[in-house]
Amino acid sequence: MKITLERVNDNFHFELKNERGHLVNVDSRPEFGGNDMGASPMELVLMGVAGCSAIDMISILKKQRQEITSFKAEVEGERLQVGEAKPFKEIMVVFFLEGPINEEKAARAAQLSFEKYCSVSKTLEPTATVHYKVVLNGNQLDK
């Protein structure tokens, strides 16, 4: 896996490209000297958690022949000052699923993602605790 980065302006706007040519813009907020022309690197980390776990869950539920009519997630990260850096300490992921989905299968799909499959959350485990909730058809499921 390889990513290339190219600076776009005189500040902190960068264009990143993967080996398949997909582009992502990264920047810093104006209060930190950027122009807000893209997501921050730490926002990309949270996006990675959301995307990785969503792929896992949908894959698992599709294999179980569950019909997903809507799938959304919200991810929030709490950061901790460690010297000059501010790594994530806690991350909360809330999944919102709609459709005729079995509750146990939805809960198990989330559990499998975070305990077994999601490489992004596994990468963060040494420094951040990742919590998750599943809301199915408007009702929060118990883990």
Side-chain angles (χ1 to χ4, degrees), residues 7-116:
R7 191 173 182 193
V8 176
N9 66 14
D10 290 339
N11 290 326
F12 305 116
H13 182 195
F14 303 99
E15 184 177 85
L16 292 98
K17 187 186 312 184
N18 68 8
E19 293 173 298
R20 297 180 312 283
H22 299 290
L23 301 175
V24 173
N25 284 282
V26 172
D27 201 350
S28 183
R29 296 189 308 239
E31 58 265 33
F32 300 117
N35 299 104
D36 204 19
M37 301 298 292
S40 75
M42 292 302 279
E43 289 170 331
L44 289 174
V45 171
L46 295 181
M47 289 178 188
V49 171
C52 184
S53 57
I55 290 169
D56 292 341
M57 287 184 65
I58 290 172
S59 176
I60 292 165
L61 292 170
K62 277 185 160 189
K63 288 176 186 171
Q64 296 174 336
R65 302 190 194 292
Q66 299 298 295
E67 182 185 344
I68 305 164
T69 59
S70 176
F71 188 102
K72 296 178 183 177
E74 293 178 358
V75 184
E76 291 188 44
E78 180 184 332
R79 297 169 72 181
L80 175 69
Q81 192 78 43
V82 177
E84 295 301 312
K86 288 174 57 178
F88 287 115
K89 174 187 169 190
E90 304 272 340
I91 296 172
M92 171 55 82
V93 185
V94 182
F95 298 103
F96 299 91
L97 289 77
E98 299 282 334
I101 303 166
N102 177 282
E103 288 184 11
E104 289 80 20
K105 290 181 179 183
R108 180 73 173 142
Q111 179 186 18
L112 284 170
S113 176
F114 288 106
E115 291 181 6
K116 188 173 182 179

